[in-house]
Amino acid sequence: MKHPKNFYALFLSVVLLLGIISGNAQITAIKAGKLVEPETGTTLPNQIILIEKGKIKAVGAGLPIPKEAGVIDLTGATVLPGLFDCHSHLCQMTFPNNRDLFTTDIKQSTAFRAIIGVKTAKEMLEAGFTTVRDVGNNGNYADTSLRNAVEQGLVPGPTIINAGRIIGPFGGQYHLRPDRVELGAPEYLFADTRDEMLKAVRENIHFGALVIKIVVDDQKYIYSADDIKFIVEEAGKAGAKVAAHCMTEKGARNAIEGGVASVEHGFQMSDEALRLAKQKNVLLVGTDFTEKAAGYLGLDEKTALLFHKIFLDRLKRAYKIGVPMAFGTDAFFDVPNETRGTLAISYLDSYTEAEIPAKYILQMLTTNAANLVGVEKQRGAIKAGMFADIIATPENPLDNINTLKKVSFVMKNGKVIR
Ligand SMILES: [Zn+2]
């Protein structure tokens, strides 16, 4: 005799059984033909990586693979940790018909900016970037919403360490009209006095910033070393580091003396400023635009080439002096036939052009970046206890760094993305 109660009981048992089965099958084993450890620049053959609950359980040669494990065969590939972009703008995008940032920023609503972020976050992840430090220009906290959506599994994307709104002296990075000063918001939090700086940091942290981004020197009044020290201390109370956009020599020096975690851009830095950065262990996130990428800034061909040459010269000097560097792109443009991810990895061209060794480029993309972002105990290496952020390439990037443009496998937090 049929009874609805029996039907539900049966249904529940099946669900429970499926749950138990899938629970047992939660171990994943990756067979890695080659495993690259960026920190040491070594390659290990035939490694097994065991993954459980999103984290790496064990790594080694000849590890026994549990019977119930799902096996991913990457014996024909090189396996390495997921990549980092330490200077992303996921929710910002200029289009070919208008490369001007000010008009683009004010025309696009925060809702539209969030939709841009959904697209770029997915594209970054698919290209192999499993972590980004996103340094502002996201409307009214579209970045915090995007991070929450990714963390809740609503949309795919890298782990995001976001900056919320950028803090800077009056004007931020704009040249405002006196009758429309409000157009500087929500992109920037103007903070000139100590009270305003304190308020800006606290407000930004409250609305979800995990890192503080300051613009040091885009106006006539620039932040002093003491101003920056004050901001660094205030941010530090909430566990946030400070990234400093510096376009001038003086700005970079103030930022280094003020104790920031990283100088962004630093295109004008002298050898002396670079030495100071090295001495104080301040990382340089050079955002070293390729000639092509410089063109997307809205520059004409001649100026783009000139800028690229300046960037390249600083990059070569920085490497020679030994400033610790992390990879960052500053990509905020829509480009035909490129995703945000393929565009980001194309910045490799600047590093190969500057003849930086593959091992160091790889460290910029992983180890150094993880240290800067503050996730070095969780991400940036394939070791037991760390999150399973793993990618694979057809060739060994230590032999041919350009193989990173052809990432064939991406896993984030133990989940296969592609
Ligand atoms: Zn930027």
Side-chain angles (χ1 to χ4, degrees):
M1 205 172 73
K2 267 192 181 173
H3 196 284
K5 258 190 191 166
N6 288 345
F7 174 75
Y8 288 123
L10 181 69
F11 178 72
L12 279 175
S13 321
V14 170
V15 169
L16 200 66
L17 191 65
L18 282 173
I20 290 165
I21 292 167
S22 64
N24 283 344
Q26 265 175 1
I27 296 176
T28 305
I30 294 179
K31 289 181 171 177
K34 287 175 185 161
L35 179 69
V36 166
E37 191 184 85
E39 196 179 355
T40 54
T42 49
T43 308
L44 300 166
N46 301 320
Q47 300 289 297
I48 305 286
I49 308 165
L50 295 179
I51 296 147
E52 191 178 28
K53 290 178 184 160
K55 287 191 172 176
I56 297 161
K57 212 180 156 195
V59 192
L63 282 182
I65 297 176
K67 238 190 284 168
E68 71 276 16
V71 177
I72 297 169
D73 187 357
L74 296 173
T75 46
T78 301
V79 174
L80 63 149
L83 309 177
F84 287 60
D85 182 347
C86 295
H87 193 119
S88 73
H89 295 286
L90 293 178
C91 303
Q92 189 179 42
M93 191 182 275
T94 64
F95 293 89
N97 62 351
N98 177 23
R99 292 296 187 199
D100 178 59
L101 263 177
F102 182 43
T103 50
T104 302
D105 286 346
I106 60 175
K107 274 180 187 166
Q108 296 173 354
S109 68
T110 296
F112 188 74
R113 303 286 287 272
I115 293 168
I116 289 173
V118 168
K119 177 178 156 65
T120 57
K122 180 170 180 276
E123 290 174 349
M124 288 296 282
L125 185 58
E126 284 173 348
F129 290 95
T130 50
T131 309
V132 302
R133 186 183 63 162
D134 194 275
V135 287
N137 290 122
N138 296 301
N140 207 355
Y141 295 100
D143 56 338
T144 300
S145 297
L146 178 65
R147 172 165 64 76
N148 288 335
V150 169
E151 286 171 0
Q152 288 174 34
L154 292 175
V155 295
T159 296
I160 300 170
I161 290 89
N162 64 307
R165 288 170 68 186
I166 297 170
I167 299 171
F170 182 83
Q173 290 179 274
Y174 292 155
H175 292 280
L176 297 168
R177 270 168 51 181
D179 51 348
R180 295 302 301 276
V181 168
E182 74 279 8
L183 292 180
E187 227 61 34
Y188 298 93
L189 278 162
F190 301 153
D192 293 286
T193 66
R194 293 292 159 86
D195 281 352
E196 286 167 353
M197 291 172 201
L198 180 129
K199 188 86 196 303
V201 170
R202 291 187 179 188
E203 188 180 315
N204 207 23
I205 296 283
H206 177 82
F207 289 121
L210 299 179
V211 57
I212 294 296
K213 162 85 174 293
I214 56 172
V215 167
V216 174
D217 53 1
D218 274 18
Q219 302 291 338
K220 277 193 179 162
Y221 291 96
I222 75 171
Y223 279 148
S224 68
D226 282 344
D227 290 335
I228 295 166
K229 199 165 168 244
F230 179 81
I231 292 171
V232 167
E233 276 174 15
E234 194 55 35
K237 290 176 198 164
K241 297 189 187 191
V242 175
H245 163 111
C246 304
M247 280 296 162
T248 64
E249 165 81 0
K250 181 78 184 135
R253 280 169 173 272
N254 286 358
I256 296 161
E257 279 164 24
V260 300
S262 61
V263 165
E264 310 296 302
H265 317 301
F267 299 132
Q268 310 265 12
M269 286 170 85
S270 66
D271 286 0
E272 215 178 310
L274 290 167
R275 270 184 222 112
L276 192 65
K278 182 191 176 183
Q279 190 195 323
K280 304 243 175 182
N281 199 28
V282 173
L283 272 90
L284 174 64
V285 179
T287 64
D288 310 277
F289 289 86
T290 60
E291 190 185 333
K292 218 171 152 191
Y296 301 130
L297 290 168
L299 306 170
D300 63 78
E301 252 176 66
K302 229 174 113 187
T303 318
L305 180 61
L306 184 74
F307 274 44
H308 171 65
K309 280 189 170 160
I310 294 171
F311 305 160
L312 211 70
D313 168 65
R314 197 276 284 102
L315 176 58
K316 282 180 181 169
R317 288 188 290 114
Y319 180 71
K320 207 172 146 198
I321 286 166
V323 184
M325 294 193 284
F327 186 86
T329 61
D330 200 19
F332 55 79
F333 14 85
D334 180 54
V335 175
N337 308 316
E338 299 269 19
T339 72
R340 185 60 68 87
T342 62
L343 178 67
I345 201 65
S346 77
Y347 279 57
L348 277 180
D349 294 348
S350 291
Y351 304 102
T352 51
E353 203 183 331
E355 294 178 337
I356 295 177
K359 177 184 163 185
Y360 194 76
I361 300 175
L362 208 52
Q363 288 171 345
M364 289 174 70
L365 278 154
T366 55
T367 322
N368 294 6
N371 281 327
L372 170 61
V373 169
V375 298
E376 69 279 6
K377 290 195 175 80
Q378 293 103 45
R379 302 177 196 277
I382 298 179
K383 285 181 189 162
M386 303 199 81
F387 280 99
D389 290 354
I390 296 168
I391 63 169
T393 48
E395 290 176 65
N396 186 339
L398 291 170
D399 301 331
N400 174 19
I401 196 76
N402 280 314
T403 195
L404 292 177
K405 293 175 181 170
K406 294 176 188 162
V407 166
S408 55
F409 170 85
V410 181
M411 172 182 270
K412 185 201 155 199
N413 289 352
K415 193 179 157 206
V416 177
I417 305 300
R418 58 174 281 235

